[in-house]
């Protein structure tokens, strides 16, 4: 069965750091473009970062550029997102997305709360 499972969220003070993980099960992970999205209550889901199937190209939203690094390990079926210098505006549920030529998969999300 296909699954994407996020973890690593939590409560952190402004300026702190978190490392989010996305573990994949049941599909050809290495062939998929991977992305992190986030959604705050009452707001639309927005793209945070994306990484190509080989890991050779990454893109970041302007709001997180310089503070976020996305990586993947195809051998371990895992995608990571290192988040530094966190601000309250980063508070949201963060979702892992895997997009192939035909199929698109989403995880259930992990909560990130940035508050003093």
């Amino acid at each position: 069965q296909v699954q994407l499972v996020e973890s690593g969220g939590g409560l952190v003070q402004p300026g702190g750091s978190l490392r989010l993980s996305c573990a994949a099960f049941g599909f050809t992970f290495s062939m998929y473009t991977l992305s992190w999205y986030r959604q705050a209550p009452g707001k639309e889901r927005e793209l945070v970062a994306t990484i190509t199937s080989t890991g050779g190209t990454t893109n970041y939203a302007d709001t997180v550029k310089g503070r976020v690094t996305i990586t993947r390990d195809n051998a371990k079926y895992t995608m990571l997102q290192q988040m530094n210098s966190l601000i309250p505006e980063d508070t949201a549920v963060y979702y892992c997305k895997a997009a192939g030529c035909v199929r698109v998969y989403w995880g259930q999300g992990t909560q990130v709360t940035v508050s003093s």
Side-chain angles (χ1 to χ4, degrees):
Q1 294 185 9
V2 172
Q3 289 188 59
L4 291 174
V5 182
E6 301 96 336
S7 62
L11 175 63
V12 63
Q13 293 185 341
S17 298
L18 286 173
R19 188 183 188 187
L20 306 183
S21 297
C22 173
F25 305 88
F27 67 100
T28 311
F29 182 82
S30 62
M31 298 179 65
Y32 283 70
T33 297
L34 304 178
S35 301
W36 284 101
Y37 284 74
R38 67 186 182 187
Q39 187 169 26
K43 298 182 179 179
E44 295 185 358
R45 188 170 298 187
E46 63 176 345
L47 177 64
V48 178
T50 187
I51 185 168
T52 57
S53 60
T54 64
T57 302
T58 57
N59 288 285
Y60 301 93
D62 290 339
T63 50
V64 303
K65 193 171 296 183
R67 303 187 296 113
V68 168
T69 302
I70 185 172
T71 58
R72 67 189 294 166
D73 187 338
N74 288 339
K76 296 182 178 180
Y77 281 57
T78 302
M79 174 177 63
L80 303 176
Q81 181 168 263
Q82 180 68 42
M83 305 177 66
N84 301 322
S85 302
L86 288 164
I87 59 177
E89 289 78 10
D90 294 322
T91 297
V93 177
Y94 284 71
Y95 298 91
C96 176
K97 176 190 175 184
C101 294
V102 177
R103 304 289 186 180
V104 178
Y105 303 113
W106 290 89
Q108 294 299 305
T110 184
Q111 177 71 51
V112 171
T113 302
V114 184
S115 177
S116 60

